[in-house]
């Protein structure tokens, strides 16, 4: 498909170089004014993160606190989302599960971002065989359907939380590398990079100081949209039983364990589903909003 | 056409890379596959004989080239668990996946196009917001959530459709098709809407309107045709991702397709089957992407020469 045009205007690049960042703050303020949905989404994400961090304080019951006398209870004042087959409070499990689900959404996306930035810069800046090798590997990673790739990694490493993290990091870096590479390619031809090179600035300083900062807007957007994809992958793998393992609480795993009670106790499976949907939706709204203000070249999808 | 051939040839290193990557990952598991296969209480001589007959004692590069040579002849090895050729198992499972994907695509495209066009016509009105909100909801719902909701409401509460797929029963295929197509319907609707709105701002649309043509006629006769290009490309990509991404839908609705093959292969530690299914679906995806590119160049006369 047609490559995204990502030339930063030379003027803009120059201004960023002399320290006059054309108001990242202004842009965010504009986002806040124009896109209320993005603001609400950011608030939802912040709330979800806070709830995850303070789960032990907020949750009315423990993570795995069975109560055999209160099994499969419908939602009530004591148990807002009811209880599961072991009498554990579903709301508390969702709050504790958010720690794993959010961590698995965010941490592999960070890892993928770092790997993708490094490889993308190397490929774009050095070109030649370095570029060829890195981009063919990226092609390979992108052509295997991501869920299947993650499944193969989980098969090899075994099902555990750490391996889930590794699998999802491996899946995500290639698209980051592509974006960084294409921006590097166009940026390294600009006058200011040439100027820096001519006064003897080292390659790595050029990449770090002059090229990377110009990639940041697209990377923020990419990251915001990678997180929900990772959350969905985690929940899918855990749903299939090859992700997080019991007794850990993860949203996908909760759905997996409670799908057998769907017809008589539907809240068991649907509560964690709704949690996933709200968080994913918030990240998607925020990503769309950020793209509109940060990435002027792709405003219409 | 010549450059298209070049692109096809360019896919070969990628395909080899895919085989190599999967090969290395699946072969790097500690432990002898033959020993795992036979269970715990078998004498070492038997294990060794089986190891040799499976070719597992050869160096990995030899195994790799043997696998490639086999794959080119349509031989993807033999299932550890079922002692059957993997190719035959894939051939058996594929029709179910293909049927599911085609139905899902049909549903997604019909609903997505209709909603997208309606939303574009009523831009920024209530209907538009409603449809676009629903489509974002569709895009953000995990596929197992859609599936479970459908099973609960349409299958269990209303009893309109069977809960799982039964062979030869059309009604039983409705829920899986909706579940798999739901996300795609959302993206088709969004893409149709934004593309159509963009085209409607062009001068020739104003001209057509100025000539006195009715709004609906202009949309159907002029705008729609020109706005479909990105949508059609997206549809082609969706079909290939549905063919490969039906893992969860197939698992929930008990459909004996490729995705089920992959999940059971993982649970059975059946490496050749997993390797074969991943390779097969990757080829499908790559072919689908190529087709989408080709379609794009055929449909748009402006880029027909360049591709």
């Amino acid at each position: 498909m047609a490559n995204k045009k990502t030339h930063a205007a030379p003027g803009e690049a120059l201004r960023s170089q002399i320290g006059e960042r054309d108001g990242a703050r202004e842009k965010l303020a504009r986002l806040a004014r124009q896109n209320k949905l993005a603001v609400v989404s950011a608030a939802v994400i912040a709330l979800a993160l806070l709830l995850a961090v303070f789960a032990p304080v907020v949750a009315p019951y423990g993570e795995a606190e069975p109560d055999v006398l209160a099994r499969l209870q419908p939602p009530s004042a004591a148990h807002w989302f009811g209880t599961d087959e072991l009498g554990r409070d579903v709301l508390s499990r969702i709050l504790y599960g958010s720690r794993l689900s959010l961590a698995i959404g965010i941490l592999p996306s960070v890892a993928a971002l770092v790997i993708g930035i490094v490889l993308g810069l190397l490929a774009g800046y050095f070109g030649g065989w370095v570029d060829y090798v890195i981009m063919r590997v990226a092609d390979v990673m992108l052509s295997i359907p991501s869920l299947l790739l993650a499944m193969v990694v989980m098969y090899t490493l075994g099902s555990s939380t750490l391996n889930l993290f590794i699998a999802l990091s491996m899946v995500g870096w290639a698209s980051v590398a592509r974006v960084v590479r294409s921006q590097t390619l166009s940026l390294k031809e600009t006058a200011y990079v040439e100027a820096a090179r001519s006064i003897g600035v080292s390659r790595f300083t050029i990449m770090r100081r002059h090229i990377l900062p110009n990639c940041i807007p697209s990377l923020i957007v990419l990251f915001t949209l990678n997180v929900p994809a990772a959350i969905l992958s985690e929940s899918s793998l855990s749903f299939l039983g090859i992700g997080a393992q019991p007794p850990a609480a993860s949203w996908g795993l909760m759905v997996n364990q409670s799908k057998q009670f769907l017809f008589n106790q539907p809240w068991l499976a649907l509560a964690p589903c709704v949690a996933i949907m709200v968080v994913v939706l918030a990240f998607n709204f925020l990503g769309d909003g950020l793209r509109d203000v940060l990435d002027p070249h792709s405003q219409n999808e | 056409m010549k450059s298209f051939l070049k692109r096809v040839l360019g896919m070969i290193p990628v395909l080899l890379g895919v085989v190599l990557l999967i090969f290395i990952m699946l072969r790097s598991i500690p432990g002898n596959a033959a020993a795992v296969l036979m269970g715990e209480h078998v004498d070492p001589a038997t294990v060794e004989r089986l190891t040799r007959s499976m070719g597992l004692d050869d160096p990995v590069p030899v195994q790799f080239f043997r696998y490639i040579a086999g794959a080119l002849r349509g031989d993807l090895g033999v299932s550890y668990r079922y002692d059957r050729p993997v190719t035959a198992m894939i051939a058996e499972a594929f029709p179910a996946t293909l049927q599911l994907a085609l139905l899902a695509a049909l549903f997604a495209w019909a609903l997505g196009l209709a909603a997208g066009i309606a939303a574009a016509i009523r831009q920024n009105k209530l209907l538009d917001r409603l449809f676009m909100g629903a489509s974002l909801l569709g895009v953000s719902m995990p596929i197992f959530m859609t599936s479970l909701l459908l099973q609960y409401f349409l299958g269990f509460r209303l009893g309109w459709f069977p809960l799982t797929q039964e062979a030869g029963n059309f009604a039983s295929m409705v829920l899986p098709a909706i579940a798999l197509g739901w996300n795609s319907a959302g993206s088709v609707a969004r893409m149709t809407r934004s593309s159509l709105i963009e085209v409607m701002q062009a001068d020739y649309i104003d001209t057509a309107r100025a000539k006195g043509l009715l709004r609906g006629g202009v949309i159907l006769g002029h705008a729609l045709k020109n706005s479909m290009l990105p949508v059609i490309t997206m549809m082609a990509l969706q079909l290939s991702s549905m063919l490969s991404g039906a893992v969860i839908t197939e698992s929930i609705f008990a459909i004996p397709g490729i995705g089920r093959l992959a999940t059971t292969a993982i649970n059975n530690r059946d490496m050749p089957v997993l390797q074969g299914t991943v390779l097969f679906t990757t080829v499908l995806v790559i072919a689908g992407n190529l087709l989408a590119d080709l379609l794009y160049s055929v449909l748009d006369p402006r880029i027909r020469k360049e591709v």
Side-chain angles (χ1 to χ4, degrees), chain A residues 266-278:
Chain A
W267 60 87
L268 284 181
L270 291 182
C273 280
V274 171
I276 297 170
M277 193 185 72
V278 168

Side-chain angles (χ1 to χ4, degrees), chain A residues 193-215:
Chain A
V193 168
E194 210 152 306
R197 205 179 301 142
S198 69
I199 57 168
V201 179
S202 79
R203 288 162 167 177
F204 288 99
T205 313
I206 290 181
M207 284 192 240
R208 190 171 54 84
R209 295 269 311 271
H210 302 306
I211 293 182
L212 190 55
N214 284 296
C215 301

Side-chain angles (χ1 to χ4, degrees), chain A residues 69-130:
Chain A
L69 295 177
R71 296 181 343 179
L72 297 172
Q73 296 279 311
S76 65
H79 301 281
W80 288 4
F81 294 158
T83 59
D84 69 4
E85 73 276 17
L86 298 175
R88 295 174 298 192
D89 181 54
V90 173
L91 174 63
S92 306
R93 301 265 305 155
I94 286 182
L95 287 170
Y96 277 100
S98 73
R99 304 178 124 193
L100 192 64
S101 292
L102 290 177
I104 291 292
I106 293 169
L107 294 179
S109 301
V110 173
L113 197 66
V114 172
I115 302 173
I117 287 175
V118 171
L119 292 180
L121 280 174
L122 289 177
Y125 197 79
F126 288 106
W129 66 269
V130 178

